[in-house]
């Protein structure tokens, strides 16, 4: 994902043309991870499974985010497929967001969340 920088004049021109006010964003906000962006989940998947969303190594954890079957089922993953590694990347992310929201952070992925500096 490519982030664009807006100068003060770009914002002024946009307001003048559209007549709408824009919400101000702190300069470093674009660099801070937004946990709803797919980029965070892709980084987590790279750490967990080498970014392989179809990972099944036989260790009891499946997919890009290395779900175990009981967590996958408990958060509704079986509506997509019985096994996480057979679900799409987007479906795995949808379930991961439910897990994260229910647990108040990325603690379900302890080593990688620590390594990536994500809130646990």
């Amino acid at each position: 994902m490519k982030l664009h920088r807006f100068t003060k004049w770009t914002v002024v021109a946009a307001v003048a043309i559209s007549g709408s006010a824009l919400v101000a964003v702190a300069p470093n906000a674009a660099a801070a991870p937004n946990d709803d962006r797919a980029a965070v989940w892709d980084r987590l998947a790279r750490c967990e499974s080498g970014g392989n969303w179809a990972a099944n190594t036989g260790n009891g954890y499946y997919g890009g985010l290395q779900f175990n079957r009981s967590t996958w089922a408990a958060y509704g993953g079986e509506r997509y497929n019985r096994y996480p590694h057979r679900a799409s990347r987007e479906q795995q992310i949808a379930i991961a967001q439910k897990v994260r929201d229910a647990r108040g952070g990325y603690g379900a992925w302890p080593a990688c969340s620590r390594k990536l500096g994500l809130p646990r």
Side-chain angles (χ1 to χ4, degrees), residues 36-61:
D36 286 330
R37 288 187 184 158
V40 172
W41 295 110
D42 286 332
R43 287 176 43 221
L44 194 55
R46 275 193 302 276
C47 179
E48 289 285 337
S49 66
N52 180 2
W53 293 92
N56 178 8
T57 61
N59 66 356
Y61 294 91

Side-chain angles (χ1 to χ4, degrees), residues 4-19:
H4 298 281
R5 275 199 172 175
F6 294 98
T7 66
K8 179 173 145 182
W9 295 111
T10 305
V11 173
V12 170
V15 171
I17 292 169
S18 70

Side-chain angles (χ1 to χ4, degrees), residues 101-115:
D101 292 348
R103 296 185 182 183
Y106 294 88
W109 304 274
C112 289
S113 65
R114 186 172 32 258
K115 179 179 176 181

